[in-house]
Structure formats: C-alpha cells, structure tokens
Amino acid sequence: MSKPIRINLSLGQKLSALTATILLGILFALYLFYQGLAASVMQEKITQSRSLSDAGLSIIQYFHSNAQTLRLEESEAKEMAINALESMRYGDNGYFWINDRQGVVLMHPFVTDLLNSNQINMQDIKGNFLFRDIIKTAVEGGGQVEYFWPKPTIATPFQKVSHVVYFEPWDWVLGTGLYFEDIERDIRNYAIAALCFGFVFSVVLVMAATMVTKKMMYQLEDMAIIDALTTLHTRRYLLENIDNMVARHERQKEFFLTAIFLDIDHFKKINDNFGHANGDKVLSNVGKMIRQVSRPDDLSVRYGGEEFVILVLDKDEQAALHLAERICHTAKHTVFNKDKQKFNVTLSAGIAHRLVDESIFDTLQRADENLYKAKTGGRNRIISS
C-alpha cells in the first residue's frame, strides 16, 4: 500500500496560500454580491416602472372622473390628462406615452412626428411589432414588454422594458419604461459606490430614494386632495382631516365648531340654459369666493357637484353665520355673462354647531338638513341651528 504524498510548505508559502484563499473567497463574495445587487436593482427598476404606470393611470382616472361628474368636458379632461403626463419625467430617460388600441400615437413627449399616426405595423431593429405587443399586453391586463427604442437624445435604438396598462373608457394604452443600458449602468455605479462607501452610501441612497418617492407622492396627493375646478379641498381631504378639527375643538372647549353646507340654487338650470362651460365658470367663481372670504384655518371643501362644506372653529358663535352671509352676498352680486346675456346665481346654506360630545358627522347631517330646509323654504337663504 502506497503512502500518501505529503506536500511540505514553508510558513511563507502557507501564508501566501491562505491569503490567496481569502482573496478568492472575497472575490467570490464580491461576485455573489454583484449578482445579487444586479438582480435586486433590476427588479427594483421594473417595480418602479410598474408603480409609475399605475400612478400615471391614476392621473387619467382622476380627470376621467371629473368628466363623468360633468366638472370637465371629456375633451378638456383628456387634454388636461395628456398635458399632465407629457410633462412628467423621472430618471435620465423616463417618460410616459399614450397610444390607442389601433396603434395611433396620441402623446409622446419626444417623438412628435409620430403623433396621430398609426404605428401598428412598426417594427424595431429585431423585427418585433412593438406596438402590437404593447397593445396586446395592455389589453390583456397590463404587464412588461421588451423591445428596442431610441433614447430621448440619441437616435440609436436601445433595448427597453416598458410597463403598459389599458384605460378602456378612453381606449388609451399608457406606457412607461426603462432602458436596459441605463439599468446596467446604474448597477455598475451602485456596485462601485457600495465598495467605496459601504454602509454610509447605502443610507444616503435610501434617503435620496425616499425623498424622490415622497416628492412624487406629494404631487399625486395634491391632485387627489385639491379639486381642479374650484381649487378647494376635496371630500376625501375632509374625511381624512375631520378628526383633526374635532381634536382641536376638544382642546378648545370655549370655541364653537360649526359646519356650513352651501348649495348653488337651480344649478341644473344654469347648465341647461347657459351650458356646462358656464356652469363650470360658476363653480370656479364660487370656489374663489369661498377661498377669499374664509380664513386659512377654516376647512373649505367642494363636497360634490354644486355642494360645498366649510368647517369653522371660532370663539364667536356667529362667526360661521357671518361667513356664510358674506359668501352668499358676494355670490348674489356677481354677474356672469354668456353671449352678452347676463345672469346671477344665489346660494342656500345650512349651518349647525357641534354639540357637546356630538359626532362631527351628526353635526354635518344637521347642517345638511338645514340646507334642505333652506332650499325647500324658497332658496337664497340661510337656516342655522
């Protein structure tokens, strides 16, 4: 039986071998780190693209809801949605575009020569019918599509992954995406930065990403809580902040928390006789009156249609009544014109003071009931309790 072969190494050789092994282990760990980072960044970017397309879709839905509730003409709502999305940018080369299900390009911020043209048969450099794939994926529920497309400042096509969604009421396909080259460049930069700065850089990166995300969310939140036509707060904002008003009232027992319900009298006749555009003008002006007359601490809301709600917290029990009177007086003496035909509007109002330990929603209900009494009692009047 042969003896096992022994390799005698000097201490220096053993240390060199150990160092080499450690270095190989470090290199292997770095390789795994880079692979994990690459997969993580790629997934993050794709998730970001999906989130952005969902955010863009919510903007379209917002303007569509305004058209549905007759706050905006449908053509005006579409134009405003396109303008909002066309101006939005993210990253170095991120943007939104819109085409319809037939392949007609309705909005593209960079390739303007394609606007209103049918690109259903367009092929990229690999022969893919990219608009067909985009439309098919969007109509089937939305998802990712890969193809080649020029960057905003470079005519050469680059591989791109886009997330597309379909908005059926307007027959719109909305898309946004990322270029693989940009993603790979980001991966390399992240890896180098991570090796150089380690934990500190990671913290800074997370903070920067959080700030960008918050900024975008604030912009979208502003669109969700501010009524575009009247620039008053929305009903959603009222529901989200009404507890704060109640909490302030609980801390300031000597104050009166009062709800005012306002309604434009015979608003349907205004739309019928003078058109919805003039009806919107009336709503916009009433919103402006409310903003000008009310105080910053008052919570002024377009409650729905031609109805408005104002919550007032004041030491003076009559403060809300005086506010309602000023608004009604200003509205009554505002003159509107339509084809040289002048007309005025009047408002009816219901007011209710919050009782001790009363639910604020019960207060709103009583104010609404007083508004009903004002309207059934002849309109152009204020009922308070």
Side-chain angles (χ1 to χ4, degrees):
M1 185 175 181
S2 60
K3 294 182 179 180
I5 299 175
R6 290 186 178 182
I7 300 176
N8 295 319
L9 299 175
S10 65
L11 180 59
Q13 290 174 324
K14 289 179 179 179
L15 288 174
S16 297
L18 179 60
T19 301
T21 302
I22 292 174
L23 287 174
L24 287 173
I26 291 174
L27 290 173
F28 182 71
L30 290 174
Y31 171 78
L32 294 178
F33 166 77
Y34 183 83
Q35 293 297 317
L37 178 64
S40 175
V41 171
M42 179 68 74
Q43 185 58 47
E44 178 188 350
K45 294 293 184 180
I46 291 175
T47 301
Q48 179 190 28
S49 178
R50 182 169 59 248
S51 299
L52 286 165
S53 66
D54 290 341
L57 181 61
S58 71
I59 292 175
I60 295 175
Q61 291 169 335
Y62 169 78
F63 287 106
H64 175 260
S65 67
N66 275 268
Q68 291 293 99
T69 56
L70 302 180
R71 298 173 188 170
L72 295 171
E73 295 290 339
E74 185 170 276
S75 59
E76 185 181 6
K78 288 181 178 179
E79 181 181 356
M80 292 177 71
I82 284 176
N83 289 339
L85 293 168
E86 189 175 31
S87 63
M88 293 185 70
R89 301 286 185 273
Y90 56 91
D92 293 332
N93 299 294
Y95 57 87
F96 290 98
W97 86 89
I98 299 172
N99 58 268
D100 64 18
R101 197 166 53 175
Q102 286 69 47
V104 176
V105 179
L106 302 176
M107 184 275 285
H108 198 293
F110 297 106
V111 192
T112 55
D113 57 337
L114 296 182
L115 292 179
N116 301 316
S117 63
N118 193 312
Q119 300 297 322
I120 195 70
N121 294 318
M122 175 185 279
Q123 293 178 275
D124 66 10
I125 59 174
K126 295 296 184 180
N128 299 311
F129 289 94
L130 55 105
F131 278 93
R132 295 183 188 180
D133 295 339
I134 286 169
I135 293 167
K136 181 176 183 295
T137 301
V139 171
E140 289 179 353
Q144 307 292 333
V145 181
E146 294 184 17
Y147 55 95
F148 286 81
W149 188 266
K151 289 186 179 181
T153 57
I154 304 175
T156 304
F158 291 84
Q159 189 176 9
K160 186 176 185 180
V161 57
S162 291
H163 191 272
V164 294
V165 292
Y166 180 58
F167 186 65
E168 186 175 2
W170 286 350
D171 192 31
W172 279 9
V173 174
L174 174 71
T176 186
L178 301 163
Y179 292 92
F180 279 99
E181 182 187 71
D182 294 344
I183 299 174
E184 291 167 358
R185 181 199 61 212
D186 290 343
I187 290 170
R188 290 192 299 271
N189 291 339
Y190 290 159
I192 295 171
L195 291 173
C196 295
F197 301 103
F199 177 77
V200 175
F201 177 79
S202 300
V203 171
V204 172
L205 183 64
V206 170
M207 291 176 63
T210 301
M211 290 174 62
V212 171
T213 302
K214 283 184 176 180
K215 184 176 180 180
M216 291 189 64
M217 292 305 297
Y218 288 152
Q219 291 174 342
L220 292 174
E221 185 179 354
D222 283 345
M223 298 187 71
I225 65 175
I226 299 295
D227 178 65
L229 185 59
T230 64
T231 67
L232 298 177
H233 285 109
T234 61
R235 186 171 181 173
R236 168 185 168 180
Y237 184 85
L238 171 69
L239 295 176
E240 290 176 351
N241 289 271
I242 200 167
D243 289 341
N244 295 333
M245 292 289 287
V246 174
R248 288 173 56 198
H249 189 215
E250 293 296 331
R251 293 193 301 269
Q252 299 171 299
K253 297 289 188 179
E254 72 278 12
F255 280 58
F256 295 90
L257 179 57
T258 310
I260 306 172
F261 254 93
L262 292 159
D263 187 274
I264 302 174
D265 295 329
H266 302 296
F267 186 71
K268 184 177 184 303
K269 289 184 179 179
I270 296 172
N271 282 328
D272 292 342
N273 296 334
F274 302 102
H276 289 285
N278 282 285
D280 287 347
K281 188 182 296 184
V282 170
L283 287 169
S284 178
N285 273 272
V286 171
K288 182 179 180 180
M289 295 171 199
I290 292 173
R291 288 198 319 276
Q292 291 176 339
V293 175
S294 58
R295 304 167 308 173
D297 287 343
D298 298 333
L299 183 54
S300 303
V301 172
R302 183 183 180 187
Y303 199 70
E306 68 273 20
E307 260 190 347
F308 303 88
V309 167
I310 308 173
L311 290 183
V312 179
L313 186 64
D314 198 283
K315 282 185 176 181
D316 183 1
E317 186 177 4
Q318 301 300 313
L321 176 60
H322 296 327
L323 173 60
E325 287 174 343
R326 290 196 299 273
I327 294 171
C328 292
H329 176 81
T330 304
K332 184 177 180 180
H333 290 85
T334 300
V335 179
F336 296 90
N337 292 279
K338 201 274 182 177
D339 298 333
K340 297 183 179 180
Q341 182 180 359
K342 297 181 179 181
F343 66 95
N344 300 78
V345 299
T346 60
L347 303 180
S348 297
I351 299 176
H353 300 291
R354 181 178 178 241
L355 305 176
V356 177
D357 297 328
E358 181 183 34
S359 164
I360 188 62
F361 296 102
D362 290 339
T363 309
L364 287 168
Q365 178 65 32
R366 289 193 296 108
D368 193 24
E369 291 170 357
N370 286 337
L371 171 62
Y372 178 78
K373 292 176 183 177
K375 295 186 77 68
T376 56
R379 294 183 171 84
N380 188 24
R381 63 193 61 208
I382 301 170
I383 301 295
S384 178
S385 64

